[in-house]
Amino acid sequence: MMWAVFTGLLIAGIGVFVFLKPRLIWDLTEKWKSYRADEPSGFYLKATKLSRALLALAGIFVALLPFFLK
């Protein structure tokens, strides 16, 4: 049970961090692929924020799931 809670909180934390700092993630993962890109596109920022918000919600769900399955 504790592993599920810990894993869920870890996933939620990663999701929240990336939601708040999508440009940092872009710098680390995507910037090196293009010699002309100075900043991420608007679509990339929106898509990253949406997907990581869903990841954070999934992490919260995983963390709370053991309490509902008792």
Side-chain angles (χ1 to χ4, degrees):
M1 180 170 128
M2 291 308 296
W3 283 106
V5 173
F6 176 73
T7 304
L9 292 176
L10 182 66
I11 291 170
I14 291 170
V16 169
F17 175 74
V18 176
F19 179 80
L20 296 175
K21 299 286 186 179
R23 288 182 192 264
L24 175 64
I25 301 303
W26 180 81
D27 283 338
L28 295 174
T29 61
E30 302 294 328
K31 187 176 183 179
W32 64 272
K33 295 177 184 176
S34 175
Y35 62 91
R36 299 181 77 191
D38 293 332
E39 61 184 30
S41 67
F43 178 75
Y44 176 86
L45 292 174
K46 289 177 185 175
T48 301
K49 282 190 172 194
L50 177 65
S51 65
R52 297 314 178 218
L54 293 174
L55 180 69
L57 289 174
I60 292 169
F61 177 75
V62 168
L64 295 177
L65 191 61
F67 297 109
F68 291 116
L69 294 178
K70 279 187 175 182

